[in-house]
Amino acid sequence: MSFLKKSPWILHYAATSCNGCDIELLACLTPMYDVERFGIVNTGNPKHADIFLVTGSVNEESRKVVENLYAQIPEPKAVVAIGACALSGGIFRDAYNVYGGIDKIIPVDVYVPGCAARPEAIIDGIVQALGILEQRASERKRQRKLVAS
């Protein structure tokens, strides 16, 4: 994580879900799992976020919010879809108002399966997203050098 000048910040959005994955995600912040030991900070402001965590499936109302939040997160950014609903729509996929998983709306970098996804799997997904951020930051740095020369 040499490119990061600050701790990586995560933004969590709970789309239409049963809240099972949300509870497991909040468990990651408790002393038992303590995701903050990696220097990760939970934020409510998309302009400060590096990693976008999304739980639940997408419907018309949540689609607009997901797109808006994704657009506000500065580059480089990574998106983590957590749980079966975020991956494919889960048990709600056949509902009339559900588009499906998050990847129907925004590009997803890491998929964390499960119903509900376990905290260990969520932490592993966040760590994978940190690796993706590292790659994207080094690519941007390389492109800037090419443009400058």
Side-chain angles (χ1 to χ4, degrees), residues 7-80:
S7 295
W9 287 22
I10 58 172
L11 173 68
H12 169 236
Y13 177 69
T16 52
S17 69
C18 69
N19 295 328
C21 292
D22 302 325
I23 292 168
E24 297 297 325
L25 178 61
L26 291 175
C28 294
L29 301 172
T30 64
M32 183 170 181
Y33 295 101
D34 192 21
V35 77
E36 288 183 353
R37 72 177 177 254
F38 298 115
I40 296 168
V41 179
N42 190 24
T43 183
N45 188 342
K47 295 182 189 305
H48 296 151
D50 301 303
I51 302 172
F52 188 27
L53 306 176
V54 185
T55 57
S57 57
V58 179
N59 63 16
E60 182 60 31
E61 185 176 324
S62 64
R63 178 188 64 82
K64 295 172 188 172
V65 175
V66 168
E67 289 173 339
N68 189 10
L69 289 172
Y70 179 77
Q72 291 181 52
I73 298 172
E75 293 290 341
K77 58 187 163 191
V79 177
V80 180

Side-chain angles (χ1 to χ4, degrees), residues 84-133:
C85 294
L87 274 62
S88 65
I91 61 172
F92 306 108
R93 72 180 166 274
D94 293 328
Y96 73 94
N97 64 336
V98 173
Y99 291 144
I102 302 303
D103 58 0
K104 303 272 193 230
I105 307 301
I106 60 173
V108 174
D109 300 302
V110 180
Y111 295 91
V112 179
C115 185
R118 300 288 306 140
E120 298 91 344
I122 295 170
I123 291 171
D124 185 51
I126 293 171
V127 171
Q128 288 178 29
L130 289 173
I132 291 168
L133 283 175

